[in-house]
Amino acid sequence: MDKFETLTGVAAPLPMINIDTDMIIPKQFLKTIKRTGLGKSLFFEMRYDDAGKEIPGFVLNKPAYRQAQILVAGANFGCGSSREHAPWSILDFGIRCVIAPSFADIFYNNCFKNGILPIRLPQETCDKLMKAASNGANAAFTADLKGQEITTPDGEKVAFEVDSFRKHCLLNGLDDIGLTLAKKTKIEAYESARKTAQPWV
Amino acid sequence: MTAPRTLFDKIWDSHLVDRQEDGTCLIYIDRHLVHEVTSPQAFEGLALSGRKMHRPGQTLAVADHNVPTTDRSQGIADPESRTQVETLEANGKAFGVRVFSMSDVRQGVVHIVGPEQGFTLPGMTIVCGDSHTSTHGAFGSLAFGIGTSEVEHVLATQTLVQAHAKNMLVRIDGKLPEGATAKDIVLKIVATLGTAGGTGYVIEYAGGAIRDLSMEGRMTICNMSIEAGARAGLIASDETTFAYVKGRPMAPAAADWDKAVAYWKTLSTDAGAHFDATVVIDAATIVPQVTWGTSPEDVVAIDGCVPDPKKAADEGKAKAMQRSLDYMGLTAGQPMEEVKIDRIFIGSCTNGRIEDLRAAASVAKGRTVAATVKAMVVPGSGLVKKQAEEEGLDKIFREAGFEWREPGCSMCLAMNADKLEPGERCASTSNRNFEGRQGRGGRTHLVSPEIAAASAITGHLTDVRKLLA
Ligand code: SF4
């Protein structure tokens, strides 16, 4: 997993609530057995018409936002399925930070496992950031994980919360599995105790 | 004396392997279900890092999302789907994981197979790379969906790094009125909480109306916990649970059985335990329901009307509602029962169990599917199909004009060939009505098996109570 320290990039506004995982990446793209290559299909239904042509009005098709690295969205982002194809497609497009008033649990977890920083902020703050992101061309935001702070194009600073362990892993690009395997003796001790108490498990 | 604890807290505490100073917990995972869509990258990751599976015997794999529901003797036509299913079987072999292959009578939707086999047991932690893993909570186990990275984590360590969720109690007091089902209860719950209302919570369902439900009904309720945004949903085990589990192939037997039941009986919420949120619904107010929009919270009574966006709480909501109505091709104020239906889907991990098929068959019996409707019944598993055929349900459906299919997820998510055409409208017993869920441009109304069957007969959304009156 790539480290996440500070990210400076264009933020794309997507002012819709309940953006579900089917909207992020529809199921026809779940048939892959790879993690990569999904970026071109991100937001497929909103991004392309029936003939497969880009819909010019969709934010990521607009010249100002084609290189967006941050996404500002409405509440309950990522609801629906557990598919990790959702964060994979976001990452593959080049977005590494999503800002919203709230996220669905599984999606939120999945982001951290893939080096994406999801930031929860109050509705009013998100509204302000949405407005700033909508200003168009090359309005760059900075997301600083270490300082837990977003800087808007006008230089305004917004603090955000993040779980300290997740922050630590993301900052250092740590792989969860490696960390857990270091606790192998604890796992095995747990297993042998369970085996006596609940042999059917 | 320890402080009174909730059922969720008890399961959590008994699975705690490690707790870091910052509160991050490592919890043990007893059972892991795997399907073909969310697992290939996890097995690949394991192989690439040269890691082994920690305890392969705790994992059970079955292909369900991509499998055809028509004749399977020729294999899978779609090359990508075929690759996924073959990859699952190959990974099973390589890592020593049991796989129920497509030709196995035990194959079916992963959340139907687990309980059916006794793989799912009370008091356990159960995960799967699938959000509807919450289904297994019906057994009083902590069951939740995980992403593919977490699937890999479980394969390698049999544990997960988790933060403790909050406790919510949803109590359905009293008795359900005639014609209302478990599906109607859960649609009502989702409508009450909203799709994000359960975010960060594990919901415990309790109350008389929940106790009265069969295991099938309880699974329908827990299944859709995720539609309310909850991490998991659970129902304390009781005699109904034990009777269902007893004698299943993977359930404990002999002396272990008695020991297990004695333990399971300790697994209920203590009097006075703290819930961070409590919602109480009077069962008597729950009528047969239907969704009108593109979010599972968009619920009205089947004899009600399409709601008006102008009456929405705020502008964002109004906009979302209007977008839904445009997509669904509906207008505010239109009676739901006048909405014409093109397709019927009876199946999925929400309503693809034997009891659901019996309920639908009892409505279909001696009646005929409307000429304008294409209706399909997809049993949740090979064993459900077998039992239904032994009971003659397949005959009832076929004679009424329903298609009788092979088991799988099918048109619940339309990853295989079963899908809606753009603009087609479907009454479906599944759990999601998102845009394009059942096929690009397809329009989904979520309903109970009874309403789905009734709507197949009349050709429009139908209050089953009127048909049976
Ligand atoms: S039946 Fe539907 S909801 Fe259930 S596992 Fe399959 S696709 Fe998911």
Side-chain angles (χ1 to χ4, degrees):
Chain A
M1 189 176 84
D2 289 341
K3 289 184 192 179
F4 189 113
E5 289 166 327
T6 301
L7 173 71
T8 299
V10 169
L14 194 56
M16 284 171 68
I17 58 167
N18 294 331
I19 294 180
D20 60 66
T21 50
D22 285 68
M23 287 160 93
I24 297 173
I25 185 91
K27 65 229 151 205
Q28 63 266 38
F29 304 107
L30 307 188
K31 293 188 183 182
T32 173
I33 55 168
K34 301 258 165 276
R35 291 173 200 246
T36 49
L38 291 166
K40 56 180 184 301
S41 312
L42 174 67
F43 298 124
F44 188 80
E45 305 275 338
M46 295 193 272
R47 202 161 142 208
Y48 304 101
D49 64 17
D50 287 345
K53 278 223 200 56
E54 285 189 4
I55 298 170
F58 183 67
V59 61
L60 297 182
N61 291 334
K62 294 182 185 168
Y65 298 109
R66 298 187 83 92
Q67 308 296 326
Q69 289 177 276
I70 298 172
L71 189 68
V72 188
N76 201 22
F77 187 85
C79 61
S81 91
S82 67
R83 62 187 70 154
E84 205 155 316
H85 308 70
W88 292 337
S89 62
I90 288 173
L91 188 66
D92 196 59
F93 179 89
I95 291 171
R96 288 202 67 197
C97 174
V98 185
I99 303 168
S102 60
F103 292 88
D105 280 338
I106 305 179
F107 177 84
Y108 187 78
N109 275 337
N110 282 340
C111 283
F112 286 100
K113 315 272 179 208
N114 289 284
I116 299 172
L117 174 64
I119 300 177
R120 266 190 227 129
L121 288 170
Q123 184 70 51
E124 310 79 68
T125 317
C126 284
D127 291 346
K128 258 202 279 176
L129 295 181
M130 189 72 76
K131 224 164 149 205
S134 308
N135 282 341
N138 305 323
F141 284 56
T142 297
D144 170 14
L145 177 57
K146 208 167 189 179
Q148 293 185 211
E149 199 173 60
I150 299 169
T151 310
T152 69
D154 320 328
E156 198 185 328
K157 304 221 184 269
V158 177
F160 62 87
E161 293 292 321
V162 57
D163 172 78
S164 60
F165 180 66
R166 284 176 160 151
K167 175 179 173 180
H168 170 74
C169 292
L170 204 50
L171 276 175
N172 298 291
L174 294 180
D175 152 28
D176 274 5
I177 300 180
L179 292 172
T180 300
L181 284 173
K183 295 177 179 168
K184 198 161 179 174
T185 24
K186 281 193 178 174
I187 298 173
E188 283 168 353
Y190 175 88
E191 283 174 331
S192 65
R194 245 346 243 309
K195 203 167 172 180
T196 326
Q198 295 169 27
W200 64 88
V201 179
Chain B
M1 267 287 289
T2 48
R5 290 180 300 164
T6 63
L7 169 58
F8 165 51
D9 292 338
K10 288 184 185 180
I11 302 176
W12 179 271
D13 292 348
S14 68
H15 287 83
L16 204 54
V17 173
D18 185 46
R19 189 169 197 281
Q20 290 173 200
E21 266 173 34
D22 62 10
T24 306
C25 295
L26 189 66
I27 65 163
Y28 195 76
I29 301 301
D30 297 321
R31 296 285 190 263
H32 186 194
L33 289 153
V34 161
H35 67 77
E36 80 277 21
V37 180
T38 56
S39 70
Q41 294 88 350
F43 282 111
E44 183 196 28
L46 207 61
L48 287 176
S49 56
R51 287 171 177 146
K52 283 209 270 301
M53 265 184 82
H54 181 72
R55 231 182 133 190
Q58 304 307 96
T59 297
L60 177 64
V62 61
D64 54 6
H65 284 62
N66 271 298
V67 298
T69 57
T70 45
D71 177 24
R72 288 176 176 177
S73 56
Q74 304 304 313
I76 304 176
D78 177 64
E80 284 183 300
S81 295
R82 192 171 60 232
T83 304
Q84 269 195 340
V85 173
E86 286 171 357
T87 305
L88 184 72
E89 305 218 352
N91 283 329
K93 276 212 186 79
F95 291 91
V97 171
R98 267 173 301 186
V99 183
F100 290 170
S101 68
M102 217 166 68
S103 56
D104 193 316
V105 69
R106 297 169 297 180
Q107 180 269 340
V109 181
V110 64
H111 308 308
I112 293 193
V113 170
E116 205 167 66
Q117 291 300 316
F119 187 71
T120 302
L121 295 172
M124 287 188 156
T125 46
I126 302 171
V127 296
C128 174
D130 191 283
S131 57
H132 290 100
T133 309
S134 58
T135 312
H136 308 264
F139 291 79
S141 49
L142 176 62
F144 53 90
I146 55 178
T148 299
S149 297
E150 290 176 310
V151 170
E152 187 180 338
H153 194 279
V154 176
L155 294 175
T157 70
Q158 207 60 42
T159 64
L160 273 179
V161 179
Q162 291 285 305
H164 191 286
K166 290 179 284 182
N167 279 289
M168 181 188 289
L169 176 66
V170 172
R171 224 175 59 215
I172 315 291
D173 287 336
K175 283 212 173 306
L176 274 186
E178 202 64 36
T181 67
K183 184 64 164 282
D184 302 306
I185 299 182
V186 74
L187 285 172
K188 176 82 177 186
I189 293 171
V190 174
T192 306
L193 295 177
T195 51
T199 304
Y201 288 97
V202 166
I203 300 177
E204 178 174 349
Y205 302 101
I210 299 288
R211 282 288 139 225
D212 285 347
L213 292 173
S214 64
M215 285 317 293
E216 283 86 352
R218 293 179 190 184
M219 284 188 256
T220 302
I221 304 273
C222 289
N223 175 272
M224 288 188 68
S225 301
I226 185 73
E227 269 60 58
R231 194 88 186 95
L234 39 75
I235 296 173
S237 57
D238 58 12
E239 293 302 329
T240 306
T241 324
F242 308 149
Y244 180 98
V245 171
K246 193 166 186 179
R248 305 251 159 206
M250 299 181 192
D256 274 354
W257 172 258
D258 298 328
K259 210 171 163 185
V261 171
Y263 172 63
W264 295 340
K265 285 187 173 162
T266 67
L267 295 178
S268 57
T269 293
D270 297 328
H274 173 75
F275 283 95
D276 303 283
T278 299
V279 174
V280 179
I281 297 173
D282 177 4
T285 65
I286 299 176
V287 294
Q289 313 270 333
V290 58
T291 61
W292 54 265
T294 55
S295 169
E297 70 187 18
D298 299 340
V299 174
V300 285
I302 182 78
D303 55 1
C305 297
V306 177
D308 189 348
K310 284 196 213 92
K311 295 187 184 136
D314 58 75
E315 204 191 322
K317 259 251 123 73
K319 242 167 77 184
M321 271 176 89
Q322 192 53 54
R323 185 188 155 96
S324 287
L325 291 186
D326 293 345
Y327 180 85
M328 292 297 290
L330 297 174
T331 45
Q334 192 177 353
M336 290 311 294
E337 281 197 272
E338 283 177 11
V339 176
K340 287 218 163 46
I341 294 291
D342 309 301
R343 304 281 295 269
I344 300 290
F345 173 65
I346 298 176
S348 87
C349 58
T350 312
N351 283 126
R353 284 169 286 268
I354 188 69
E355 189 175 89
D356 303 310
L357 303 193
R358 285 183 195 137
S362 73
V363 175
K365 191 168 186 176
R367 297 188 165 93
T368 312
V369 172
T372 49
V373 171
K374 194 168 163 255
M376 131 173 133
V377 184
V378 182
S381 74
L383 289 171
V384 168
K385 178 168 185 257
K386 187 163 162 264
Q387 183 170 353
E389 289 175 353
E390 280 163 13
E391 295 179 16
L393 305 184
D394 60 320
K395 240 181 113 221
I396 296 176
F397 284 124
R398 282 209 176 98
E399 280 172 8
F402 288 83
E403 289 178 37
W404 179 248
R405 297 290 190 100
E406 297 296 325
C409 294
S410 180
M411 213 162 70
C412 173
L413 94 163
M415 239 182 122
N416 68 355
D418 311 337
K419 56 181 80 153
L420 298 180
E421 295 300 321
E424 271 191 328
R425 188 182 296 281
C426 179
S428 176
T429 67
S430 54
N431 44 53
R432 289 197 174 132
N433 51 352
F434 296 155
E435 288 182 22
R437 171 76 178 183
Q438 294 193 293
R440 193 169 196 190
R443 295 159 168 168
T444 302
H445 295 277
L446 301 177
V447 292
S448 67
E450 287 87 339
I451 293 186
S455 308
I457 306 299
T458 60
H460 51 84
L461 288 171
T462 297
D463 186 343
V464 63
R465 292 169 298 187
K466 290 180 192 158
L467 198 74
L468 297 182

